[in-house]
Amino acid sequence: MNFDPRITPARPDLAASHLRGKVKAGQYVDGTVQEVIIGIAPVRSGPSHGATQVTEALRGERVTIYESDDEGWAWGQLAADGYVGWLPAAALLAPTADATHKVTALRTFVFPGPSIKLPPMDALPLGAQVTVAGEQDSFAALASGGYVPKNHLAALNTHETDFVAVTERFVGTPYLWGGKSSLGIDCSGLVQVALNACGIPCPRDSDMQEAALGKPVSLAGLQAGDLIFWKGHVAIARGRNSMIHANAFHMAVTIEPVAEALARIGATGSQVTSVRRLK
């Protein structure tokens, strides 16, 4: 059987127990659920700081860990989108409580006390999840320690209603391969973060998104919210004539005319493979 290695916890030497009989591996393990405890944790292709970042895991995400090495790396699978890779073991701990809130600001800080004058302990990106234990003045007190401005959080069941507007908040964010925050983001990360903010599950990579999201429509009838796909790239239409995307040409999240982008990308030999409409 053929499995996508990006979302299949299997290697020649090790695989998840539920894949026994489906993939061949030296051993099979059950794995242990852990939680990301820092704002942003890199997920890499190998157990090294020099390995390619394939995606990022945000605070509060659950990860099933199948192996931890002696160099401080843990290999596992993200619960939210199924992505597999290596994370710094120091970024993980056993879960202590379910998250109650998520970050709705583009980014925010965790302070050691309920004061903006204190040096921040960490920075949290849009979509990070936390457990709120109480309130003090204008701050939410976290069960794990630290304080976050209350107006930067919302209950987990609170959702944005316009995912295009969410993407527009990222304009100017530097392009970063595998990135998922306002510190750096890639094309499919922008789509995933924006759709997740609206309560819509979304795969991680653009080819996965093209296969799973919406229905095909004509480029000639482009509407706001349509996803435009090329091989290895995705953009979000803001209407018939403009689009927004994280791209390596501008090295940033950029709004530009659709016709201009199509011509520039087409000049490299890449053509639109499909347009998908979510509704």
Side-chain angles (χ1 to χ4, degrees), residues 50-94:
T52 299
Q53 177 173 277
V54 292
T55 188
E56 290 177 326
L58 310 184
R59 177 163 169 167
E61 284 199 61
R62 300 291 171 91
V63 191
T64 301
I65 298 300
Y66 296 101
E67 180 188 30
S68 295
D69 68 14
D70 295 331
E71 302 299 322
W73 292 92
W75 182 74
Q77 183 175 35
L78 304 183
D81 61 16
Y83 225 90
V84 174
W86 292 88
L87 297 88
L92 304 168
L93 277 180

Side-chain angles (χ1 to χ4, degrees), residues 163-251:
F163 90 92
V164 179
V166 177
T167 67
E168 291 171 344
R169 295 166 62 187
F170 284 86
V171 169
T173 297
Y175 180 86
L176 176 66
W177 185 270
K180 286 180 57 175
S181 82
S182 63
L183 294 178
I185 201 164
D186 65 16
C187 66
S188 55
L190 181 63
V191 171
Q192 187 186 53
V193 168
L195 288 179
N196 286 172
C198 295
I200 302 171
C202 179
R204 178 59 179 90
D205 292 343
S206 61
D207 63 321
M208 300 173 178
Q209 294 169 355
E210 186 173 17
L213 298 175
K215 62 180 181 179
V217 295
S218 168
L219 182 63
L222 203 61
Q223 296 180 8
D226 288 348
L227 301 177
I228 310 168
F229 290 95
W230 296 259
K231 183 178 180 180
H233 190 58
V234 59
I236 305 97
R238 300 173 65 246
R240 184 165 185 172
N241 298 315
S242 71
M243 68 185 215
I244 182 171
H245 59 152
N247 63 94
F249 179 80
H250 296 98
M251 285 305 296

Side-chain angles (χ1 to χ4, degrees), residues 135-173:
E135 296 181 1
Q136 185 170 344
D137 300 325
S138 61
F139 288 86
L142 305 186
S144 58
Y147 295 77
V148 175
K150 287 192 297 186
N151 62 350
H152 286 177
L153 300 176
L156 287 183
N157 61 358
T158 302
H159 301 302
E160 300 279 354
T161 58
D162 183 349
F163 90 92
V164 179
V166 177
T167 67
E168 291 171 344
R169 295 166 62 187
F170 284 86
V171 169
T173 297

